[in-house]
Amino acid sequence: MCGNNMSAPLPAIVPAARRATAAVIFLHGLGDTGHGWAEAFAGIRIPHVKYICPHAPTMPVSLNMRMSMPSWFDIHGLSPDAEEDEGGIKRASENIKALIDQEVKNGIPSDRIILGGFSQGGALSLYTALTTQQKLAGVVALSCWLPLRNSFPQASAINVNKDIALLQCHGDCDPLVPFMFGHQTAEKMKTLINPANVTFKSYRGLPHSACPEVKIILKTLPCTFWKRKQNVV
């Protein structure tokens, strides 16, 4: 599950305290696992929300001298003009879409599912949100970029998530995924979905990490997204 033809452990799951009527699927960054984010969500969870933190498969990563580590797809570089692993990105996205489909089969409406991630996981969440046929509640993208950006708008699933809510957060001292890259991603997203629904938050002095303020936002985000959806006529 959740791999490019490679096996990965079952996701780390924080179950809802009562019957789950919504879900957050959150994807970790390069070299990490879902366990850390699952622990974070366990401390800020909302009772009716199920939190799912899948693990990327282990594979050689070109960016890190072909060393094997958990990775959703291969990364050749982190500059805007770097070569991209198109096949790997698409395969990883299909696995995340299958995870979304499974939660829908479990009884959670797709528009009660938030997709998100950090760094490479945030990148995959953006790509998946734009290409899935399932209408999602929202997407949260932390310290990341939009993969295969030149394939859009042609690659977008027509109209399905054009009104999706997007929260993108990025530290202005990020040495790995430059702040300007994140800002350019937000501007690109405004051309692909309703720009009024795109929120880009910058954090002064923050490196490639999530600060306590971001974790507070993650706690309140589900209710914010669903309240916004209810107010849309």
Side-chain angles (χ1 to χ4, degrees), residues 1-6 8-9 11 25-34 37 52-61 69-75 85-96 99 116-125 128 145 147:
M1 124 106 241
C2 290
N4 294 336
N5 296 325
M6 300 182 185
I25 299 173
F26 198 88
L27 313 179
H28 64 76
L30 178 67
D32 199 2
T33 70
W37 285 101
I52 304 162
C53 300
H55 310 290
T58 298
M59 65 176 70
V61 177
M69 61 190 64
S71 183
W72 298 108
F73 48 84
D74 193 16
I75 298 180
D85 178 18
E86 180 174 358
I89 292 166
K90 290 181 176 180
R91 286 191 296 271
S93 179
E94 289 303 312
N95 286 329
I96 301 305
L99 187 57
F118 174 78
S119 193
Q120 189 193 37
L124 182 57
S125 70
T128 302
W145 70 97

Side-chain angles (χ1 to χ4, degrees), residues 42-78:
I44 59 174
R45 65 178 177 171
I46 297 172
H48 63 277
V49 179
K50 176 182 181 182
Y51 298 88
I52 304 162
C53 300
H55 310 290
T58 298
M59 65 176 70
V61 177
S62 298
L63 178 69
N64 291 337
M65 299 179 292
R66 301 292 296 170
M67 289 190 296
S68 292
M69 61 190 64
S71 183
W72 298 108
F73 48 84
D74 193 16
I75 298 180
H76 296 277
L78 291 174

Side-chain angles (χ1 to χ4, degrees), residues 111-134:
D111 63 358
R112 297 274 294 171
I113 296 175
I114 292 173
L115 181 61
F118 174 78
S119 193
Q120 189 193 37
L124 182 57
S125 70
L126 284 177
Y127 183 85
T128 302
L130 289 174
T131 58
T132 182
Q133 295 293 333
Q134 296 277 18

